[in-house]
Amino acid sequence: MISRILFVVVTIWLTNVNVGARGRDWITLENCRLVPNAANDGDSFHVSVNGKEYIFRLYLVDAPETDAVNPARLVEQAKYFAITVPQAIEVGQAAKEFTGEKLSELFTVFTRMSDAMGRSKLERFYAFVQTKEGDLGEQLVCNGLARNYGFKAVPPGLKSSRQEVEKLQQFEDEAKREKIGGWGVNAGRLNVRAQKPAPFSVFIAEKKTRPHATSAPSPGIFSPTPKPRVPIAPGDRGEPSKSHQKEKTPLGKIDVNTATEKELTTVPGIGHVMAARIIAARPFRSADDLKRVSGIGDKKYEKIRPYFN
């Protein structure tokens, strides 16, 4: 009995030592390169830095699988995006291509070397990945190619993960409203990108006192949660109010089934996102059917209806 208790105590102690050694400080790996590998996907990939190869798995986000090796997980992902399993695989492939594109140039990895587990013989670690455009996970979610879901960690510079999780949820909600990526598969909008890119988090590495300390612990800072994105309609980009296009839109002159996106956005209350939804919902029997477009409630309908035939 005593020996069993001692075994448990020693095991817990060793585990804590391992976690402390690997999880106490953030390690910054700069000038990283993507290593081509058949196992790479949207949120997990091989990386080369300082002559060593690693596999990193993104924190906080989850891109669909690229094959049917894990059918249960694939079914769950498809259900989340409200699409079929084959479509989920298609989204996973698109996420893989997106990540490959974003990591085609040098990038930075922030990791605590926490074990992310995986099927490869090479150990996999959780990480945040920073491209020249900002956090990779945020970019995937913003474009509907990943969901706000996964192993959580407190990002460098923050006191909790809640702020980043809420930010990711905002990006996911916007992608869902815009019907892009996995949220727009049934509308043929898988490869449509966010119309107004969100302000992504940016890590700011601490200045190093030694020129080659690229793998030394270095804290980073996430940018604060952004304000909700509001589509910018024509006439709202700094032009004098007298030339505002919407003020010149004649009542009852727009055909709901043939109007271009540009014509639709001249109607007060219709931005680029709403115009895209209207176009995706065609054909209409009449402009009265605008009520069935997502985001058009009774008040908005009453406001925009007079502008359509």
Side-chain angles (χ1 to χ4, degrees), residues 26-81:
W26 286 103
I27 297 172
T28 304
L29 301 175
E30 299 177 341
N31 298 317
C32 297
R33 296 180 184 276
L34 180 66
V35 177
N37 191 290
N40 289 349
D41 58 26
D43 56 32
S44 181
F45 33 81
H46 289 242
V47 172
S48 174
V49 59
N50 299 329
K52 297 182 180 180
E53 184 174 341
Y54 304 89
I55 301 178
F56 289 114
R57 168 69 166 86
L58 297 179
Y59 279 117
L60 300 173
V61 305
D62 178 56
E65 303 296 306
T66 57
D67 54 43
V69 173
N70 191 340
R73 182 170 179 78
L74 194 55
V75 168
E76 193 270 329
Q77 291 169 332
K79 183 178 180 180
Y80 188 90
F81 282 97

Side-chain angles (χ1 to χ4, degrees), residues 12-262:
I12 294 174
W13 179 80
L14 288 174
T15 301
N16 289 336
V17 169
N18 184 57
V19 171
R22 290 192 171 190
R24 185 184 303 124
D25 299 315
W26 286 103
I27 297 172
T28 304
L29 301 175
E30 299 177 341
N31 298 317
C32 297
R33 296 180 184 276
L34 180 66
V35 177
N37 191 290
N40 289 349
D41 58 26
D43 56 32
S44 181
F45 33 81
H46 289 242
V47 172
S48 174
V49 59
N50 299 329
K52 297 182 180 180
E53 184 174 341
Y54 304 89
I55 301 178
F56 289 114
R57 168 69 166 86
L58 297 179
Y59 279 117
L60 300 173
V61 305
D62 178 56
E65 303 296 306
T66 57
D67 54 43
V69 173
N70 191 340
R73 182 170 179 78
L74 194 55
V75 168
E76 193 270 329
Q77 291 169 332
K79 183 178 180 180
Y80 188 90
F81 282 97
I83 55 180
T84 65
V85 168
Q87 287 175 327
I89 292 177
E90 189 178 357
V91 176
Q93 291 287 354
K96 176 178 178 177
E97 293 176 7
F98 180 90
T99 291
E101 176 188 336
K102 296 301 177 183
L103 301 187
S104 61
E105 298 183 29
L106 296 178
F107 54 93
T108 301
V109 171
F110 295 88
T111 181
R112 284 176 168 170
M113 306 305 281
S114 297
D115 186 11
M117 299 176 286
R119 297 187 295 267
S120 174
K121 292 182 180 179
L122 188 63
E123 195 172 5
R124 186 170 69 160
F125 305 106
Y126 282 109
F128 288 106
V129 173
Q130 203 77 24
T131 73
K132 66 178 183 179
E133 297 174 5
D135 182 69
L136 176 60
E138 291 182 8
Q139 294 173 62
L140 284 162
V141 173
C142 185
N143 287 284
L145 298 175
R147 55 180 175 164
N148 177 18
Y149 179 96
F151 192 85
K152 293 180 175 61
V154 180
L158 297 184
K159 293 183 178 180
S160 76
S161 62
R162 180 177 178 180
Q163 183 175 342
E164 182 63 12
V165 169
E166 290 178 348
K167 187 177 184 182
L168 286 168
Q169 190 59 52
Q170 177 185 314
F171 293 162
E172 181 177 308
D173 292 343
E174 184 66 17
K176 192 172 183 179
R177 282 193 293 270
E178 292 183 13
K179 293 184 180 179
I180 58 176
W183 306 107
V185 173
N186 292 318
R189 294 171 59 81
L190 171 60
N191 295 309
V192 174
R193 297 290 171 252
Q195 294 185 29
K196 190 174 186 295
F200 300 118
S201 293
V202 176
F203 286 102
I204 304 175
E206 188 180 61
K207 291 184 178 179
K208 298 177 177 62
T209 56
R210 291 177 293 179
H212 300 295
T214 56
S215 60
S218 177
I221 300 176
F222 266 113
S223 64
T225 303
K227 296 180 180 179
R229 292 180 289 165
V230 179
I232 301 177
D236 289 339
R237 302 180 183 275
E239 296 93 345
S241 58
K242 291 183 180 180
S243 63
H244 200 295
Q245 226 175 345
K246 292 184 183 297
E247 295 176 1
K248 297 181 180 180
T249 305
L251 297 177
K253 295 296 183 180
I254 295 179
D255 188 310
V256 71
N257 285 314
T258 62
T260 64
E261 180 180 349
K262 183 177 181 180

Side-chain angles (χ1 to χ4, degrees), residues 268-271 274 295-306:
I270 296 181
M274 185 57 67
I296 298 182
D298 291 338
K299 290 184 178 180
K300 183 177 285 292
Y301 173 79
E302 292 177 4
K303 180 179 180 180
I304 68 175
R305 180 61 182 87

